[in-house]
Amino acid sequence: MLSLFNTLHYRAWLTVALIVVLTGCNTTPANKNAILLAQQGQFEQAKTAIETSYPAAGKNRLLRHLELGTLYHLEQRYQLSNDNLDKAKAIIEEQYTISVSEQALALLSGPTYTTFSGKEFHRPLINVFKALNYNALANQSPAKRQYYLDAALVEMRQLDTYLSTLTDETGGYDGKPSGDGLTDRVMRILQPLLAPNDLLKNIDYKDDAFAHYISGILYESSNELDAARIQYQRAAEAFEQGFADQYDLGTNATKQAYADLARVMRKAGGYRNELSELEEKWGDSISEPKQTGPRLTVVQNAGIGPQRKEFNLLLRADHDAKALVVTPILWGTSAERKAQMWWFQMLYADTSLFDMMQNYATGDLGDVAMGALTKRLPLGDTLWQSAKTAGLIDALEHGSRIAVTYLEPFEQKIDKSELWIEGKKVAELDNYHSVSLLTLQSALKNANREMQIALTREVVKAMTAHKAIQSTGLQAFDGFAKLATSVVNAVTAGADLRQWQSLPAQIKLTQVPITLGTVNITLKTKLRSGKVIEQSDTLEINENMTLWHTRTFIESAQSTAPTTLLTME
């Protein structure tokens, strides 16, 4: 009778549980609301949203300071921005090695119960933002100019140390379980199901060519030519050896980095052989410019990065095939359901991940067989018996809902960005970084590990509840208890959707010769929709190197977003 009850009501409990849970899955997080407010110029409301949602002493304190650091940066309140970014950097360093208790908490309760510690690419972005803030402060405070410029270089030295360590590491972010507890045994059984796909092996965050390039500009501006040469060379080599391809940047960033390297070598002297090799390889693109003197570098941070959302799956045991089966549970709008299926395909695709990822990054998801895809792992007699002995198969009698994350697809809305000086077009900006692609690749790289931990957590919860029922002597109600436990676990399972949401989607840049004196510049961002966003400023060019940066919000109600002039010696 109970078996018949289970059969008839299996779909019913799953449907009810999912309706309860998933109706709250697609709510917009506070930091996404905050950056949407900021793009409309409503900074006070944006900061209030962050301060209300992320307490200074809570497990999300890193998010609080990252988001406030960005918002104050956009407001041009640079010291307050740096104060918050300093706190964020300290929290990242503190959380670099997650404690054993935090790992256990994540396995047993869920990732959102742990302290958010950020991603590996957050630290370099903090250093870059802080350095830009210091240079803006130097421009605003002539009496303390050198003090702020020196502080900017401190950030660059810290950045160099971090990136040097990053490039030397060999996968130190993926810890392996140890011991022989219940959790460890479950993870070992599930490991073959979620072994990293070979298609994911070339999307690691290995280095940051853009960060090296900005570092080179800052060193050159302070006339530290040897340090500038080293950073330009690291940037150029990183762009050339894979960074440009990995983040779909084209070749212009590589050529510009080599051109800057050659220019600094000429200024420093003593690099005749190295210059000859560069000229032979790159030709006119790195030859000595006809127009010498001051240069203007324009950096555009454009758009808003994609949002992390929740993606649900069902794990069940197939007794006839002696296999474990994972099936996507699609939920949300038509676009969201298509994105969830595409995400699942990217993780287990037999085709080129790179091609699929590029389509995902442009919002071109094509046609997918909605609901038809599953991931099946035949365990065979030995592993199946191990799973039965551990209680895993019993625990999966009614299936287990697994909650993980996926990244919403993002569209490339910008057709081109143009720099105009004194009413004349002088250059188009090139792509120097795609924070959206970086975030996407990081999410894909961590997806298997995230899913393994989520599966383990829900299975251990179900097994623990099953054993607790058995210990009470109420085995007659075991089937109903397992059904109830499955419902509870489905309702309580949750994914970690936390991220630094206010980062730009992409970073564009151009560098041009400029004349001394007062100049009027305009950045024209032309969208594929036909809309043109114009941002203008008047600059006083009286130094060798001037850097101007801005944030362009694609959906802004204002025609001009906040801009910053950074003038450097």
Side-chain angles (χ1 to χ4, degrees), residues 548-561:
W548 183 85
H549 79 274
T550 188
R551 179 69 174 266
T552 304
F553 288 116
I554 307 303
E555 306 295 338
S556 176
Q558 303 172 334
S559 60
T560 302

Side-chain angles (χ1 to χ4, degrees), residues 355-386:
D355 291 339
M356 296 183 74
M357 190 168 57
Q358 295 302 320
N359 289 339
Y360 199 88
T362 59
D364 181 13
L365 302 190
D367 294 322
V368 289
M370 304 298 286
L373 188 66
T374 60
K375 171 65 175 179
R376 180 179 296 270
L377 173 69
L379 295 181
D381 292 335
T382 302
L383 275 177
W384 181 263
Q385 189 56 47
S386 295

Side-chain angles (χ1 to χ4, degrees), residues 313-328:
L313 308 108
L314 176 67
L315 173 68
R316 59 184 177 85
D318 185 335
H319 290 257
D320 294 333
K322 293 185 178 179
L324 297 180
V325 181
V326 176
T327 305

Side-chain angles (χ1 to χ4, degrees), residues 9 76 82 150 168 241 343 374 463:
H9 289 78
Q76 302 182 44
N82 275 352
D150 289 344
D168 290 339
Q241 294 171 4
W343 189 265
T374 60
M463 291 168 62

Side-chain angles (χ1 to χ4, degrees), residues 195-206:
N197 193 319
D198 285 343
L199 293 173
L200 303 179
K201 64 184 178 182
N202 293 319
I203 59 174
D204 293 290
Y205 177 67
K206 305 179 184 71

Side-chain angles (χ1 to χ4, degrees), residues 28 59 72 77 98 351 371 480 487 536 539:
T28 304
K59 61 183 180 295
Y72 280 121
R77 300 172 70 179
I98 301 176
T351 55
F480 181 80
V487 173
S536 299
L539 314 183

